[in-house]
Amino acid sequence: MTTTRRSVAVVGAGLAGTTAALGFLDAGFDVTVLSDRGRESLRNDVPATGTAVYFGKSRESDARIIEDLYADGPHSTGMSTRLYSGDGDTRAEVLEFDPDFRYVAQGVDVRLRADDRLGRFLDRGGRFEVRAVTPESLDAIAAEHDLTLVATGKGGLSSLFPVDAERTVYREPQRTLLLVTLRGLGHGPDTWGYRSEAGGAHNLFNLHTEYGEAWLGPYLHKDAGPTWSFLGFAKPGSPWVERFEAVTDVHSARRTVVELYRDYFPQDAPEVEKLEVIEADPHSWLRGAVTPTVRRAVGRTAGGHVVAAIGDTAIAFDPIAGQGAQNTVVQVAALIEAARGHEGEFTADWLTEQFEKHWDARGHAAAEVTRLFLGDPKYAVHAELLFPAATVSEPVAAALFGFLSEPGTLLGIDTRDDVLAFITAHAGEPAEDVLARFQPSGGFTASPLAGAAVQPA
C-alpha cells in the first residue's frame, strides 16, 4: 500500500519560514520553501530584522525543531537596568536594579538561525525555490499543496490577512528603532563590572522617561561570533528620532550610538566607545519602525484556496520586549505538533482554531507584555509600583523580567491590588513594606574610565 505524503508550501525563508520548513519536513511532510532570494543572499545581502533573543521558555519550543547550535554562547543571564529622567540641569538618575533572570537568554543573528535551519532542511531533502511570490501566483501554489504557510508580507501578501481591529491596539509605530551589532568588548566579569557583578553576562537596559530606551546585549553575529547588539527605541517627538533617522550606514550607526551614550548615559560612554563596527558586514545595522499589528491569520487566495500566516505576518510586535522571534517559534512548534496528528484537510476552520489556541496560549500575553514595556497607559500603575519595588527587591526585579520569558504570568494582573499582591508574592513580604524602603538613586556608578579624554566617535 502506498501512502502519499502530505505537502506543505512555505513562502518566505526568514526565521518563521525556515523553522516551519524544517519542522514540517521532520514531521513527515513533503515541504517546499519559496523565497525571492537565494540562500547566500539571504545570509549575506540583507540586515538582520531584529535581535531574535530567546528569553528562557521559548527555547523549549525551539528545541522541538532543532538542536541548540549555539550552546557556547554568548548568553545573557540578567538585566542591568537604569532609569533616567530630564535633561541638562533637570537630569536625574532615578533608580536602578540588576536582577538575574532565573533563566538563560540567547541572542543569535536571525540570519544565522535561518541559514542553519535552511541548511538542515536542504540536507534532509527539502525543496527550495528562488522566485518572487505575489498574491496572484500564490493561488496556484496553494492549489498544489495541502497546506500553504505565508511567512512574509512582501509582495502584497500581507493583504491576504486583514488587520484584526479588535486585537490591534495601535495604529502607528510607538518607537523609532535603530539596531546595530558591534564588536570590541568581551563577555566576562570585567565588562560592565561597575554596573553588575555578572559583568558581560548581563544586558544593559537604560531607560529615559521622556526620550526612549537603549538596550545593549550579548549577541552571536553570523560571521564575527560573540559581539554586542544595540537596539535603541526613540519615543515619538524625542530628539533621538532625528538622530536615528540620520543614520545611513554602519559607521554612522556606531557614531550615533556612541554620541547617544555620551549625551544621555555618560557613565557608560567610555565603555561603549570601545565598540567597533563589523567591517565584513555592511548590513549589520537597521533602522525603521514597527506598528504592532495583529492580523486575521487565515486568508484565501483569489481562487478560494486557504492560506495561513505565521510569525510576524500574523502578529507584528514592537521589539522592546523581545517577543517577536519568541512568538514565532512558539506558534510554529505548536502548529507542527497539531498538524502531525491531524487527519483530513487543513481547512480554514482548523487553521483558525490553531491560531486561536496560540493567541490564548502566548500571542495575547506577548502583546500585553509589549504594551507594558512600551509604557502604555493601561500599565501605568504596574510601572509606578513594579519599578520601585524591583529596586528594593531582587526577586521582584527578576519577576518583572520573567514576563519576557513567560508573558502569560502578566495576564490577570490588572488592578493596583493585583500588582501589590504580585509584589508581595515574589518579595516574600508585604508590598507596602517593600515600597516604603524605596529611595531614589543617589547617583549611578560610572565606568572607571569616565572623565578620561573623549575619543572621536
Side-chain angles (χ1 to χ4, degrees), residues 372 376-388 413-420 423 435:
L372 168 65
D376 189 285
K378 176 180 178 179
Y379 291 101
V381 169
H382 297 65
E384 173 195 337
L385 298 175
L386 287 174
F387 274 74
I413 305 174
D414 299 320
T415 66
R416 176 177 289 270
D417 286 345
D418 293 337
V419 180
L420 291 172
I423 293 170
L435 293 166

Side-chain angles (χ1 to χ4, degrees), residues 29-30 115:
F29 290 78
D30 187 12
D115 185 67

Side-chain angles (χ1 to χ4, degrees), residues 49-53 55 79 173-180 203-217 229-245 256-257 260-261 264-265 286-290 292 317-324 370 373-375 404:
T49 53
T51 54
V53 179
F55 290 94
M79 191 84 78
Q174 300 302 292
R175 298 290 189 272
T176 297
L177 307 171
L178 176 64
L179 182 151
V180 59
N203 304 275
L204 265 63
F205 193 32
N206 289 343
L207 303 89
H208 193 289
T209 55
E210 291 87 28
Y211 299 149
E213 301 84 14
W215 175 86
L216 192 61
S229 185
F230 168 86
L231 189 51
F233 307 84
K235 293 184 176 182
S238 163
W240 296 9
V241 172
E242 184 176 355
R243 295 185 183 218
F244 290 0
E245 291 182 341
T256 296
V257 171
L260 187 79
Y261 279 87
Y264 295 96
F265 313 120
L286 182 69
R287 63 178 173 86
V290 177
F317 296 90
D318 184 290
I320 194 166
Q323 294 303 303
T370 300
F373 280 90
L374 282 171
L404 304 183

Side-chain angles (χ1 to χ4, degrees), residues 125-147:
R127 285 189 299 276
F128 181 50
E129 297 183 11
V130 180
R131 58 183 169 111
V133 177
T134 65
E136 292 73 25
S137 61
L138 184 64
D139 186 60
I141 294 167
E144 296 170 356
H145 294 82
D146 296 302
L147 174 62

Side-chain angles (χ1 to χ4, degrees), residues 48 50-51 109 111 179-183 216-217 219-222 224-230 250 253-254 275-278 281 283-286:
T51 54
D109 193 326
R111 297 167 297 181
L179 182 151
V180 59
T181 302
L182 301 165
R183 65 193 308 171
L216 192 61
Y219 191 70
L220 186 68
H221 182 269
K222 67 182 181 70
T227 47
W228 289 86
S229 185
F230 168 86
V250 66
R254 180 211 173 252
L275 293 170
E276 304 168 349
V277 302
I278 302 172
D281 181 12
H283 304 291
S284 58
W285 69 282
L286 182 69

